[in-house]
Amino acid sequence: MVDMNMIIANNIMDFLKKQNKKQIDMADAIGTTKQTVNKMLNGSRLINAMELKKISDYLGVTMDELTQLPDVIQEENVVHAFMGKVASQQAKEALIIADKLSDMILFHSRVRENGALMMEPWGDD
């Protein structure tokens, strides 16, 4: 499965690197903290459309460029990468269980983080 958020994050990091810009400067430009930008770029926080627009403006690129899919998408899910390499049915079933558990862990950590963000007061930004 393609993680579009990580593709966008990788594209943003590529543009930052090409333009020799820092995350802290981008955070200031889009009106957020370096910690929030770091979470966006490591995949632990989704990037919303308004943030994506501000980032594209800061980098001087289009939103299409930030959401551009790479020519080759590598399988980043370790469980899926190993699925074709195991021979026994028991090993395949164990990998399926591991995949479901990892999805549950990631889902619950994102729910917890988003819940904490929802509890923060809204600003007039």
Side-chain angles (χ1 to χ4, degrees):
M1 178 195 279
V2 174
D3 183 347
M4 196 62 200
N5 197 59
M6 282 309 301
I7 289 172
I8 293 170
N10 288 335
N11 289 342
I12 292 169
M13 288 188 292
D14 288 345
F15 281 112
L16 285 170
K17 186 175 182 179
K18 286 176 189 172
Q19 297 178 12
N20 199 26
K21 293 183 176 181
K22 298 184 182 332
Q23 290 182 24
I24 186 73
D25 297 327
M26 185 174 81
D28 290 340
I30 67 170
T32 192
T33 66
K34 183 178 185 283
Q35 291 82 2
T36 300
V37 167
N38 188 39
K39 288 179 182 179
M40 288 177 186
L41 298 181
N42 72 24
S44 64
R45 182 182 178 283
L46 296 176
I47 303 169
N48 68 43
M50 295 301 293
E51 292 165 336
L52 191 63
K53 175 65 174 133
K54 289 177 183 179
I55 292 168
S56 73
D57 290 344
Y58 171 72
L59 294 172
V61 298
T62 65
M63 290 175 65
D64 284 344
E65 290 175 284
L66 294 180
T67 58
Q68 182 71 37
L69 292 173
D71 293 334
V72 177
I73 299 174
Q74 294 182 344
E75 180 62 67
E76 293 181 5
N77 184 319
V78 176
V79 173
H80 293 168
F82 278 106
M83 188 60 80
K85 299 186 184 336
V86 296
S88 75
Q89 185 61 30
Q90 187 177 14
K92 287 180 183 183
E93 290 171 6
L95 284 173
I96 290 169
I97 291 169
D99 188 35
K100 288 179 182 178
L101 287 171
S102 67
D103 285 347
M104 288 171 49
I105 291 167
L106 291 172
F107 173 78
H108 287 290
S109 70
R110 287 185 176 153
V111 166
R112 189 175 29 240
E113 181 179 323
N114 288 337
L117 288 173
M118 299 277 297
M119 299 301 290
E120 293 178 6
W122 287 30
D124 292 333
D125 301 68

